Amino acid sequence: MSLLRTTRGGKPVDFTLANGGSLVGTAPGCQIVVADPAVAPKHCKIVRSPQGFVVTDLSGGAGTIVNGAKVKDHLLRDGDVLQVGAEKFVFADKDAPVAPAPKDSAGAPAGPARGRRPLPARPPQSAPRGPGGDRPAAPVAVAVRKLTAKPGSVARVHKDHAVFALPSTAKGRAIALSVGVGLVLLGGALFVASSKAVNSEDVKKKAKAEVEALLRIPETEIMKRYEMAGSIVSNEDYIKYAGGEIVPAKRIRNQLQPLVTQENRAGPALKPFYEKYKSLKDGPPEDYNKAADEMYEQAKVHLENFKTTSHGPRLTEIRNELKDFLEKRGIQTWRDEFPKLVREVQRMIKANNFSNGLVLVNNFGSQNGEKDSSQLKAMLQGERERLKDEAKSYVDKLKAEAAQKPTKEERRKHLEAGMPFVMGFPDVVKLLEQYIRDSK
């Protein structure tokens, strides 16, 4: 089993890597979700290959870091440190093979039994003399067992010495060593297989205990609940042996997914707002006074969008501070009165009294601090543009009506009668004056 190990909230968290591959990023579909605005939605993927787990960078410009260096594709080894954004994971490969025993400079395994132990030398035997000592007696047969090592043979045990001896040739030693290593690996495989035997009842009890711990986490701690639920539902043993026990964790994770997505969006979206508000608070009071109205509107919008995130309390605090300031300043009431102004302007347009409509707009701006509120200024400018466009249409209509008059004098008087209603709009006044001159 291979996993990524990290620390969140001061506690270790393990993410088991699925054989089918694991995605790391901020996207809801990732098996390992990292709540960091610097992390891409699908930052990297970890897939099992014949050689082991390989991490592939998908972030584009952000980069995936292994052991302090950016990588595109990297074969993970036990103990490698994978960094995604600001979070670091340690790759743990519990199936990594044991390293072979160290060898000496000649390439043979270290230890006392490095080759054959030579047989003890036999003392020379002299031929026995016959009777009278004139000629040698018949030779006496001596039984001797000779130890040989033929090419390709395996190690043998000497008849008179219980000592393990390797063949004398390099090929023989290689064969003998390969047999020994094979036996060691076979024993290790059998040990690992036996150690992986799973007790399903124990797995169910453990899964149930973790789900109960999850349910005890306060609902306000969204990220903590989401991360623990993700750890539970991604556990391969739980999936295989405790499917029923982890159903509550799956439900919680699905419920929190939209909130986590919103939480990930909140940080980057609110950073400019927080910085601007702090700058205004620390700067000259007149700057704060000018921008307070606009900042209040922004705070309300942000609170509507991110109230359910961890930023909700801070946004509420800022909105209330701005509201108190504006109420004391006495300018905040224009929002309640503005719809009435719009209705009055519309009434003036229907009466072709564009000049008086402009007077209403300008007076409203003076009374409600237009110069200190960029939002109010923009809204009043919209009303002024509307009046100007309607005034121009009125002048064009007057020209068409004047063309139907029988004499130049009547045409001129008809056009001049509209002048008082368009005063205050220089462009429209110039246009009407041009029509009057053309009628003479």
Side-chain angles (χ1 to χ4, degrees):
M1 179 176 66
S2 299
L3 51 86
L4 291 181
R5 179 166 294 154
T6 186
T7 301
R8 291 180 175 178
K11 295 183 179 180
V13 179
D14 291 349
F15 294 97
T16 302
L17 297 177
N19 288 336
S22 299
L23 279 173
V24 183
T26 61
C30 291
Q31 285 72 36
I32 303 176
V33 176
V34 179
D36 187 335
V39 175
K42 293 183 179 179
H43 199 93
C44 64
K45 66 178 180 179
I46 304 174
V47 180
R48 178 182 282 280
S49 71
Q51 291 77 30
F53 280 97
V54 176
V55 59
T56 300
D57 178 57
L58 304 175
S59 66
T64 299
I65 299 174
V66 178
N67 297 330
K70 283 189 177 183
V71 298
K72 183 61 179 176
D73 294 285
H74 180 84
L75 177 62
L76 292 172
R77 301 295 187 188
D78 188 44
D80 279 356
V81 178
L82 169 65
Q83 183 172 348
V84 178
E87 186 163 7
K88 295 182 179 180
F89 300 86
V90 177
F91 176 71
D93 186 2
K94 296 186 177 180
D95 297 335
V98 178
K103 298 182 179 182
D104 62 12
S105 59
R114 301 175 64 180
R116 289 184 59 186
R117 189 173 71 176
L119 297 176
R122 290 185 299 167
Q125 296 181 0
S126 59
R129 307 292 294 178
D134 54 351
R135 65 182 179 84
V140 179
V142 179
V144 178
R145 180 179 178 86
K146 185 179 180 181
L147 179 64
T148 62
K150 297 179 181 179
S153 63
V154 297
R156 298 182 180 180
V157 179
H158 193 274
K159 177 180 179 182
D160 299 325
H161 306 276
V163 178
F164 181 80
L166 289 174
S168 59
T169 64
K171 183 176 181 181
R173 286 196 298 269
I175 294 174
L177 287 174
S178 65
V179 172
V181 171
L183 292 173
V184 171
L185 293 177
L186 177 60
L190 293 174
F191 172 78
V192 171
S194 63
S195 65
K196 285 187 174 181
V198 176
N199 186 317
S200 61
E201 292 302 319
D202 289 344
V203 173
K204 290 180 180 179
K205 290 180 182 178
K206 186 178 178 181
K208 185 176 180 180
E210 286 202 34
V211 170
E212 290 175 352
L214 169 64
L215 296 174
R216 288 194 294 270
I217 299 176
E219 294 185 358
T220 54
E221 298 184 29
I222 295 173
M223 294 303 299
K224 187 175 181 181
R225 284 167 61 86
Y226 181 79
E227 290 170 0
M228 186 169 183
S231 176
I232 292 173
V233 301
S234 63
N235 187 299
E236 292 182 354
D237 287 342
Y238 293 171
I239 295 172
K240 186 173 182 180
Y241 301 105
E245 283 73 11
I246 65 174
V247 167
K250 291 181 179 179
R251 183 174 63 251
I252 289 174
R253 192 173 188 274
N254 291 337
Q255 290 173 347
L256 294 180
Q257 183 63 70
L259 300 180
V260 171
T261 301
Q262 193 75 336
E263 183 75 31
N264 292 335
R265 288 182 54 243
L270 293 174
K271 184 179 179 181
F273 173 77
Y274 287 150
E275 291 176 348
K276 183 177 181 180
Y277 186 71
K278 184 178 184 303
S279 176
L280 290 171
K281 289 274 288 186
D282 297 341
E286 57 268 22
D287 291 347
Y288 183 85
N289 180 57
K290 291 179 180 179
D293 191 78
E294 181 181 355
M295 293 297 290
Y296 175 77
E297 290 300 316
Q298 291 183 17
K300 287 203 308 181
V301 173
H302 287 321
L303 189 58
E304 291 173 2
N305 293 333
F306 303 114
K307 187 175 183 178
T308 57
T309 70
S310 60
H311 297 269
R314 176 60 177 152
L315 290 172
T316 301
E317 179 184 354
I318 293 176
R319 182 202 60 182
N320 291 341
E321 287 178 1
L322 290 165
K323 183 179 179 181
D324 291 343
F325 176 82
L326 293 172
E327 288 177 347
K328 291 177 182 177
R329 195 180 68 180
I331 298 177
Q332 187 63 20
T333 55
W334 69 263
R335 287 179 179 76
D336 299 329
E337 299 297 326
F338 193 81
K340 298 179 183 178
L341 171 67
V342 173
R343 290 194 293 270
E344 283 298 310
V345 169
Q346 185 61 36
R347 188 173 65 84
M348 292 296 178
I349 289 174
K350 288 183 178 180
N352 295 326
N353 197 347
F354 311 101
S355 295
N356 282 345
L358 183 60
V359 171
L360 289 176
V361 171
N362 291 338
N363 288 342
F364 189 93
S366 299
Q367 294 168 4
N368 291 281
E370 178 183 4
K371 64 180 181 179
D372 296 325
S373 172
S374 59
Q375 185 180 24
L376 176 59
K377 185 175 183 179
M379 295 174 71
L380 291 177
Q381 189 59 33
E383 292 301 305
R384 293 185 181 104
E385 292 295 327
R386 185 159 70 105
L387 283 165
K388 185 177 75 170
D389 292 342
E390 294 291 344
K392 184 178 181 301
S393 297
Y394 169 71
V395 168
D396 290 338
K397 182 181 178 181
L398 285 178
K399 179 185 177 183
E401 292 174 349
Q404 304 299 321
K405 301 296 181 181
T407 65
K408 291 183 178 181
E409 183 66 18
E410 289 177 319
R411 289 194 290 272
R412 180 182 62 77
K413 288 183 178 180
H414 186 77
L415 290 168
E416 290 177 346
M419 184 63 74
F421 301 106
V422 297
M423 296 301 294
F425 302 99
D427 293 343
V428 179
V429 170
K430 288 181 181 179
L431 181 63
L432 181 56
E433 289 174 346
Q434 180 62 44
Y435 289 164
I436 293 173
R437 286 194 297 271
D438 293 344
S439 67
K440 295 182 180 178

